[in-house]
Amino acid sequence: MIAMDVKEIESGYGEVQILWGVSLQLQEGHLTTLVGSNGSGKTTLLRTVMGLIPAWKGTVNFDGQDVTRLSPHTRAQMGLVMIPEGRQLFTDLTVMENLEMGATPGRARAGFQRNVEWIFDLFPRLEERVRQVAGTLSGGEQQMLAIARGLMSNPQILMLDEPSLGLSPLLVLNLFEVIRRLKEQGHTMLLVEQNVQMALAVSDYAYVLSNGRIEIEGEAKRVREMESVRKAYLGL
Amino acid sequence: MNIDALVPSSIDGLMLGFVYGLAAMGLTLIFGVMRVINLAHGPVIALGMFAVYLIGTQFGVNPYLGLIAVLVLGLVLGIVMYFVAVHRVINAPELTTLLATFSVNLMIIGLGTVVFTTTPRAIDMDLGAFRTGAITILGTKVVAVLIAIAVTVGLYLFLYRTRVGKSIRAVANNRAAAELMGINTTGVLALSFGIGIMLAMTSGGLIATLFSFTILAGGVYELKSFVIVVLGGLGNPTGALVGGIVLGLLEGLTTIFMPVGWVPIIEYGVFVLILLIRPTGLFGAR
Amino acid sequence: MRKLVFLALVVALIASLGVACGPVAAPTPTVKRVLVGFTASQTGKLNKESKEQIQGLQLWLEDVKKAGGIKLKDGTMLMPEIKFYDDESLTDRVQALYTKLITEDKVDFLISPYSSGLTQTAAVVAEQYGKVMITTGAASDTTMEQGFKTIFQIYTPASRYLTGAVDLLQKLDPTAKKIAFVYEKERFSTDVTTFAQKYAKEKGFDIVLFEGYDTATTDFAPFINKIMPPKPDAIMGGGHFTDGTTFAKQLYEKKVPVKFVAILVAPPEPAFVEIGDAAQYVVGPSQWEPLARYSPESAKAAGLPWYGIGVADFTSAYKTKYGYEPSYHSAGGYAAGLIFQKGLEEADSVDAEKVKTALDRLDLLTFFGHIKFDTAAKTHGKQIGHEMVYVQWQKDAAGKLVKPVVWPLEGKSADAQLRKQ
């Protein structure tokens, strides 16, 4: 089952074009990874899919609907959730209030209590700090809160933009453990990562983005074995 | 220098301070949520004065009941103002939104002068007074203080205990992230602007029960509001009440020690001083 | 082309025949139009008082029209016409509009706007163009001490505005010693209070406060807090209608324990009664009152000629036309027209120089009071004949608020009362 179908996306900032006809598909229940070097357009693609920047050409189909012209908040209401680069928490609000904001979409409110318990099970440290202002949490805790917040809305698709950025090696391990557990629970996810090694290790499917174009795609196991990939991204 | 006047003057100033604080609340809320300096703040306060006055004279409604209508009127007017004047320039540099709100200021003053002329109006309200020695506390002032407190508490509960209120704080904190959460940020901004205008108009309605006014009367409260916003912290609505009380007290004390005409000078001196030392305001959140 | 010229010649011929063969009755007196210009504060904070003044002037105009005009000795009838604009209570507008009246509308004579501040500006323009201007509603001394040649003041000037209140206080309560003065920070109120304060000092009073407030002030609590501790016997001063009324109201609300309150401009206005019990005992100087005792008899007694409408006739005519009693602003407006009329009659011409000389020579009693202009070079045109009357709001036997004249003693219709809580 195809959860999301992105076709021939072209977009950029101002006059500068970043993406030159990018297409990808997310299979339901799969973890799909998008890798690429700095400036290849990974974040631009996510933002276009989310609607934060308009697509100049191409379409985004999600849950069987064309959402290309819909506002970001409408897409979020429909179940397309993005955990943005750099966390973007509500630093003035408490941990609990951040989670409440995550549960804004209508269908998320009914199961709020249940979701909170599930979140605390996944992230025990957050339960300890539930009344603390988000800006005072440590880097790792903030990353967890960012993911937790995204999960509170019962997303159909979860998109994570560079979640390991700025985390210590120990916290990165921790992070990928969480991602693995979410995958086991059956969430459809799109992961954009610099840490190619760990991303490919945990994914089902992978895309390689270079200069705004999809260079390589395939099952993660196979992409990991490719000579060009190993040379360019795994330092071998 | 009259030390005997210290107590009555301080009480007068303190009580007025609550009303000043309420007047400033809308300005600081709008700035806190969307980084817009609403230069139409003064005329909106004056509109609140006229609204209560007209509801009283045309429909014979008690001014305090009229305030409820003004609350609703202010909210609607604010939302309309948002979409007409602010929405399209909200991402433009701050100067653009300044000009946009300033033009609304001019329009309200211009239209208001034509419709109402600058003949002073007054609402005749007598709720008796509490007297002891040299101190006289007017009933109307007591009611004004109580209403200011009630509105502040209401605003606080709204922002900290309701989902909509929290989403306003979220948008104020990080608009892009709020959008990603599924929050209709444009709607939230319009609502916040509406609440800001509502607060300003309500304070105007209260002021009308205390003093006479014209369409130009909002100007002096707009200036005081800027000082209060800086005192109480930019974007901190409950801080505005504290800032207002501080300012009121300052006024009450200053008039004892120097000619009354010096009070504005002292106020602006304080304003500049605080901006230099703590630009985010005394109780600034950011 | 030739047809057109021929047609024009025919028309001209017929026209000249028509004129020559006009009615051969007695020659009808020629009616000459005299254009009088001024500005009115139709908007802005002075609009209330200005309206009263203009209504008075328009009543005078109506009376002149009823009489067929102003008759000169050779039988010429002068018919005055007025032209005015809205000055919005702003001096900038007065400057521009008076210039316009003179240079574009080509008025023959001018009347001042309402208030000393605006009149100062108008006077400069009038003097500059050599136009004769009669000022009313303007009581500043300083304006009339600039050596103007063509400006003539009807109102009692500020230096003699509140001095009667000090005399009244002394008579009413010889034990009173301390006075507090509060004034609006504009030309007129500042002048009046400064002169009154000086006069009070000369009379042996102790001045416990002398402070000004901004024109836009609506809250007098800070002043009242300052006035109370030194425990003055009297409070005097004020500004214009709105602030004067608010001040009186707040003095009452705060139950300030003073024995005597004299406020400028506001108390003589019939609308002052709207503040209810707060109006009781408040004294106010007035340029004129409906109960004033000026008449042809009192003129004779004073050895002055009498001119114009009587007090009772003016009051009833105004009430009939406008539906309410005239205030002194209304009377001032009518008086301006009246004196202007006398000036034209005495000059027997509309020539500015002749009218000026005629006005210089005036010394008469009217319904408005004694009118005489100073002729010394520096203070030319200043009003030196007219005196203020003082009213006090009191409750009559039925408990209704009325404002009898309580000072000067020769003109009073009731005794003054000390203020009780």
Side-chain angles (χ1 to χ4, degrees), chain C residues 58-356:
Chain C
Q58 283 170 329
L59 186 63
W60 165 78
L61 189 63
E62 222 178 69
D63 284 347
V64 167
K65 287 207 169 121
K66 274 194 219 148
I70 301 173
K71 193 168 182 175
L72 296 186
K73 292 203 180 81
D74 65 356
T76 312
M77 288 302 254
L78 296 175
M79 187 54 80
E81 259 179 51
I82 56 175
K83 183 141 186 72
F84 65 94
Y85 300 107
D86 179 10
D87 58 34
E88 298 167 48
S89 308
L90 300 171
T91 50
D92 291 335
R93 298 301 296 140
V94 166
Q95 162 84 21
L97 292 167
Y98 271 82
T99 308
K100 180 171 189 209
L101 284 166
I102 296 170
T103 57
E104 282 178 41
D105 298 306
K106 305 245 186 290
V107 296
D108 299 302
F109 296 94
L110 293 164
I111 300 213
S112 70
Y114 170 77
S115 91
S116 300
L118 298 185
T119 299
Q120 164 69 29
T121 308
V124 170
V125 178
E127 177 79 10
Q128 196 182 344
Y129 286 93
K131 287 286 181 196
V132 171
M133 180 165 88
I134 299 204
T135 79
T136 182
S140 163
D141 287 76
T142 45
T143 303
M144 300 313 295
E145 286 166 2
Q146 297 174 70
F148 286 146
K149 298 195 187 58
T150 61
I151 316 296
F152 293 87
Q153 180 186 48
I154 300 265
Y155 268 28
T156 299
S159 49
R160 291 185 291 123
Y161 219 91
L162 204 51
T163 47
V166 178
D167 294 329
L168 170 57
L169 173 65
Q170 213 162 34
K171 192 87 173 68
L172 193 59
D173 182 3
T175 64
K177 271 277 154 288
K178 299 190 276 187
I179 306 182
F181 286 96
V182 175
Y183 57 94
E184 181 189 344
K185 279 198 272 200
E186 57 85 58
R187 173 179 299 275
F188 165 71
S189 323
T190 313
D191 281 351
V192 168
T193 339
T194 310
F195 282 113
Q197 180 231 176
K198 226 187 311 185
Y199 185 76
K201 259 203 212 131
E202 285 166 21
K203 290 281 172 168
F205 282 96
D206 197 3
I207 313 301
V208 299
L209 185 76
F210 183 76
E211 202 172 301
Y213 59 86
D214 258 352
T215 298
T217 304
T218 52
D219 184 15
F220 290 91
F223 286 94
I224 296 176
N225 288 327
K226 272 181 145 159
I227 290 173
M228 307 228 335
K231 297 204 196 346
D233 299 298
I235 298 177
M236 298 191 193
H240 288 86
F241 184 79
T242 316
D243 32 299
T245 320
T246 311
F247 189 43
K249 187 153 183 247
Q250 289 182 345
L251 281 174
Y252 177 74
E253 280 170 355
K254 287 217 156 207
K255 292 265 185 293
V256 179
V258 264
K259 292 192 274 191
F260 186 86
V261 175
I263 296 182
L264 298 175
V265 176
E269 289 287 333
F272 189 73
V273 76
E274 281 168 18
I275 58 173
D277 285 343
Q280 195 180 12
Y281 304 118
V282 177
V283 171
S286 174
Q287 296 276 353
W288 175 89
E289 281 296 309
L291 296 171
R293 302 252 164 126
Y294 304 118
S295 66
E297 289 75 35
S298 60
K300 201 159 176 202
L304 293 169
W306 170 264
Y307 180 77
I309 198 174
V311 176
D313 289 333
F314 167 74
T315 308
S316 62
Y318 191 92
K319 196 160 181 193
T320 307
K321 186 171 163 86
Y322 297 108
Y324 53 88
E325 276 220 329
S327 62
Y328 69 82
H329 306 111
S330 327
Y334 192 103
L338 193 68
I339 296 302
F340 170 61
Q341 177 178 355
K342 184 68 171 164
L344 288 177
E345 286 171 2
E346 290 296 310
D348 200 26
S349 138
V350 295
D351 173 59
E353 264 316 301
K354 294 205 175 117
V355 171
K356 195 171 124 340

